[in-house]
Amino acid sequence: MRKASRLFEIIQILRLARKPITAADMAETLEVTVRSIYRDIAALQAMRVPIEGGRGIGYIMRPGFDLPPLMFSIEEMEAIVLSLALLDRTADEELKQAARRVNRKISGAVPAPLRQAMDNKALYAWGSIAQPAGLDLAIVRRAIRDERKLMLGYRDELGRASERTIRPVALIYYSQTANIVAWCELRQAIRNFRSDRVEHCEEADGFFKGEGDGLRELWTSGWTEKAVPA
């Protein structure tokens, strides 16, 4: 996590806290060292953020410090709550952690009446939770953003193994798994790869800079192309 994001997270944690929060607790939440939290607290105090406390006793935010409110309608807040709950049922661990951070940030920034819409536990996402994917989907999402090729070890529905170099352009999340939509250099066509059939995945040499939009347009040009398996 970048330092700027971490500082914001610390502010959010302290604003929502009802009692002093120790550096160890914050370090565990943010997955950093306790020493990093001490440095971040000192940096925030130097910026005149009203944080009080110390090592061993915990930290708390003095009343009066606030961030600009986010303005949503009740229906918009309910849409956010349900969307985050649905995301928590995927197998993408990095996105699940991001969803929890989003929840904390919004809860800390919106006015009290809207915060109640997030905290009242009235909306739930039900159904099966996706099993852990055969690969870290964060690698795929980064490759899509960076337009970088990936090398997959893949086993199709008949159990046949192959090595594929792909140009990933989209991810489709289902309740059971996720599909990687990509240009397959072996098949020279758009193909779908089920994440639970990927045996290994790593960055390949080479990029496809500037080709992503065109490949997505090719994919969206017809539903029949979307359904073609690997």
Side-chain angles (χ1 to χ4, degrees):
M1 183 183 294
R2 294 178 180 176
K3 183 175 181 179
S5 298
R6 197 168 65 241
L7 295 180
F8 184 85
E9 289 285 347
I10 290 173
I11 290 174
Q12 294 295 85
I13 291 171
L14 294 176
R15 287 182 66 245
L16 295 173
R18 298 180 180 179
K19 62 181 181 179
I21 306 294
T22 65
D25 287 340
M26 286 187 277
E28 182 179 358
T29 299
L30 301 178
E31 298 181 343
V32 297
T33 65
V34 173
R35 183 176 297 178
S36 294
I37 297 296
Y38 287 141
R39 287 198 298 264
D40 292 341
I41 291 290
L44 289 168
Q45 289 172 330
M47 290 186 282
R48 300 184 183 277
V49 177
I51 298 173
E52 296 180 344
R55 301 187 182 193
I57 61 174
Y59 297 91
I60 196 163
M61 183 82 72
R62 198 166 61 238
F65 183 82
D66 214 345
L67 297 173
L70 295 177
M71 299 309 297
F72 296 107
S73 68
I74 292 294
E75 290 76 16
E76 289 167 341
M77 287 301 303
E78 290 177 338
I80 292 170
V81 169
L82 188 55
S83 298
L84 294 175
L86 288 168
L87 185 57
D88 201 44
R89 308 191 75 76
T90 72
D92 194 321
E93 289 300 322
E94 188 178 78
L95 280 187
K96 287 162 72 171
Q97 293 295 328
R100 291 164 192 151
R101 295 197 299 272
V102 168
N103 199 316
R104 289 199 303 269
K105 287 180 181 180
I106 295 177
S107 181
V110 297
L114 294 181
R115 190 178 305 140
Q116 292 173 3
M118 297 193 73
D119 296 340
N120 65 10
K121 308 299 183 185
L123 297 177
Y124 292 86
W126 202 251
S128 60
I129 299 176
Q131 297 300 308
L135 76 160
D136 184 356
L137 293 174
I139 295 174
V140 181
R141 287 188 284 102
R142 282 194 293 270
I144 293 171
R145 291 196 301 266
D146 298 339
E147 297 186 334
R148 179 166 193 143
K149 296 181 183 181
L150 294 175
M151 177 68 74
L152 299 183
Y154 191 73
R155 193 170 294 276
D156 68 15
E157 62 183 345
L158 298 179
R160 297 172 298 197
S162 61
E163 295 285 329
R164 309 289 186 97
T165 299
I166 65 169
R167 305 175 190 183
V169 296
L171 266 173
I172 307 172
Y173 288 84
Y174 298 95
S175 59
Q176 300 87 1
T177 185
N179 273 13
I180 305 166
V181 181
W183 176 266
C184 176
E185 296 191 352
L186 176 65
R187 303 299 187 199
Q188 288 294 294
I190 294 288
R191 289 292 187 266
N192 285 321
F193 298 87
R194 283 181 54 136
S195 62
D196 55 354
R197 294 178 182 163
V198 175
E199 297 185 327
H200 65 83
C201 173
E202 59 188 35
E203 293 180 344
D205 293 332
F207 294 82
F208 55 101
K209 295 291 187 182
E211 299 178 29
D213 287 341
L215 290 173
R216 275 184 288 275
E217 185 175 347
L218 176 63
W219 170 55
T220 56
S221 62
W223 282 102
T224 54
E225 291 173 312
K226 293 183 188 181
V228 176

